[in-house]
Amino acid sequence: MTTKTGNLQHIAIIMDGNGRWAKKRGLLRSVGHKKGAETVKEITRAAGEMGVKYLTLYAFSTENWQRPAEEVETLMGLLREYLKSDLKELQENGVRIIFIGERSMLPADIVESMSKLEEETAGNDKMTLCIALSYGSRQEIVQAARKIAALAKQGDIDPEEVDAKMFAGLLYTKDIPDPDLVIRTSGEQRVSNYLLWQIAYAEFYFTDVLWPDFDRKCLEDIIKNFNARERRYGKI
């Protein structure tokens, strides 16, 4: 029986543990990243089948650019493969894909492939897969603040008119609802500069499972846990 998501619309996942998964097995980190990429496909399929409308995956942060050049190149190579090979499955499953993050930091060919994939899946409406790539939430918030300041300076808005709704409309995620649930794998319990504005009232679930080992059963169990919670949004 397929687990039902109930009122759960949007799941955001911090995919952590690829390197540790490989190290435990005496393998190169690149092998862990490849296995992690396979998990992305499995969880995307499972989420869609369970009725999740929005799935946001933290694929590569702005801080990840500081990793060893060889590891970054491996990740970019895996991304290139993903962008070229997954269109057919996305179309068959009615998945729209969007990307959020600092595109100016990415190689030009990857940016071109991202834009093409967004255009070709724009009409799909079963699920939206949002990939946070070269993404950092503090940078996102600073950019939105700069846009607000520029609009005010130009006289296009009155500073007194600025509210949370207006500010949220200037973020990368302006077209999708805030996450209901944030999952982080690998046992770490921090948000790592991820969707800081958007997760204000999200529920959190931290699991010790490393991302390459995260599977449909893990997702189902977490959704069941979420459905048993009472969300109060600051109310008594």
Side-chain angles (χ1 to χ4, degrees), residues 103-116:
R103 299 194 185 201
S104 62
M105 300 175 73
L106 292 162
D109 66 303
I110 288 180
V111 174
E112 182 178 352
S113 295
M114 288 162 54
S115 297
K116 183 177 180 182

Side-chain angles (χ1 to χ4, degrees), residues 111-233:
V111 174
E112 182 178 352
S113 295
M114 288 162 54
S115 297
K116 183 177 180 182
L117 202 53
E118 286 177 322
E119 291 173 7
E120 294 181 336
T121 63
N124 296 339
D125 59 7
K126 182 178 179 182
M127 185 177 80
T128 294
L129 173 62
C130 177
I131 304 292
L133 186 62
S134 190
Y135 173 86
S137 188
R138 285 184 173 181
Q139 293 88 330
E140 176 187 27
I141 291 170
V142 167
Q143 286 190 12
R146 286 174 177 164
K147 291 175 184 176
I148 289 281
L151 290 169
K153 185 178 180 180
Q154 294 165 12
D156 294 329
I157 61 169
D158 183 332
E160 295 298 320
E161 297 174 348
V162 178
D163 57 14
K165 182 177 180 181
M166 180 186 293
F167 193 85
L170 296 173
L171 299 174
Y172 291 132
T173 53
K174 62 183 182 297
D175 296 322
I176 61 177
D178 290 341
D180 301 296
L181 172 65
V182 178
I183 300 169
R184 180 165 189 152
T185 60
S186 87
E188 302 294 343
Q189 298 187 25
R190 56 181 182 273
V191 295
S192 297
N193 199 18
Y194 184 47
L195 301 175
L196 300 178
W197 174 278
Q198 297 88 340
I199 61 177
Y201 287 102
E203 297 289 317
F204 286 79
Y205 194 101
F206 299 103
T207 174
D208 291 334
V209 176
L210 301 174
W211 177 247
D213 290 327
F214 194 84
D215 58 16
R216 183 191 185 102
K217 176 66 165 53
C218 295
L219 183 62
E220 288 179 338
D221 288 345
I222 292 172
I223 290 175
K224 288 176 183 176
N225 177 281
F226 173 89
N227 286 337
R229 299 183 186 185
E230 180 182 355
R231 301 184 73 192
R232 297 180 179 148
Y233 300 97

